Amino acid sequence: MSAHPGPAPIVDTHAHLDDSAFDADRDGVLAASREAGVARVINIGYNPASWERSRQLRERFPDQIEIVLGLHPLDAMEFRPALTIALQRAIETMRPVAIGEAGFDFSRRMPALADQERAFQAQIELAAAFGLPLVIHQRAAGDDLMLALDRAPDLAPIVLHSFDGNQRLMDWAIERGCYFGVGGLALKPGSTDLRALLRQAPRDRLLLETDSPYLAPPAAPSRRNTPANLPAMAAALAPIWSLDAEAVCRLTTRNASRLFGLGLAVAGAAMAADDGEGGLNQG
Ligand SMILES: [Zn+2]
């Protein structure tokens, strides 16, 4: 019972491998990810064209890819009532593990707030109707996000993808039982405040993600991020929680598997105390 046989599989809970950045070598990127120990990649289909590309990607790599379907807030100007119907049909036929990425992005002047609100509300309602987790994209919009989600208290778990925010948002997210997507943003040298916030996150709510091809960590060999960077990212992130890389992989894979129903076996899963599973932050 004391040994952990073999390294834990890793889950990349947020990637965009359907992005054109991977058109030249997508198969090689998936092979390298598997070689690096990344057992699953959750690919986020963020608009109708990306839903279909995500579906095709999962069809090609059925044992490596799962998909999430939604409308990115930066695509909210595309939102129409007909798009809600199209998304509902896509959820019924393509069977995603969650809805998203949805939310608010106020880091630019577009899309208009009203468009973002309509698109987000429609996806909140779909997540409620299907009982699926909701993957949130949030930039400079923590207060509006909390307001919108407080009006929907009965959703399945919420994932705050690439978590960024202040103490108020962290307190709210812990209270709400949100999951926290952690990746390249937390590894930037200037992200000292973010790392201090993430230290407070309950360990049974932590998820690893790359957001490939975006947010490559500082030490990565290329500015194009890939899931194969996750073992090194886990090692670089682990000191935030005073853990080692193996413990971070083990607990984040356990969390991702529980949340998205991935059915991944993690060695040492019965030993909750060694990496703090199930409890709030322990210091
Ligand atoms: Zn994304």
Side-chain angles (χ1 to χ4, degrees), residues 14-16 44 46 72 101 135 137 161-162 209 211-212 214:
H14 195 112
H16 299 281
I44 314 293
Y46 55 87
H72 195 289
E101 52 189 305
V135 176
H137 171 106
H161 141 63
S162 192
E209 61 165 70
D211 206 14
S212 297
Y214 309 109

Side-chain angles (χ1 to χ4, degrees), residues 188-205:
K188 287 188 176 175
S191 294
T192 316
D193 292 349
L194 175 57
R195 287 187 288 273
L197 278 177
L198 287 170
R199 197 183 313 274
Q200 307 168 26
R203 290 177 183 179
D204 65 349
R205 292 293 183 269

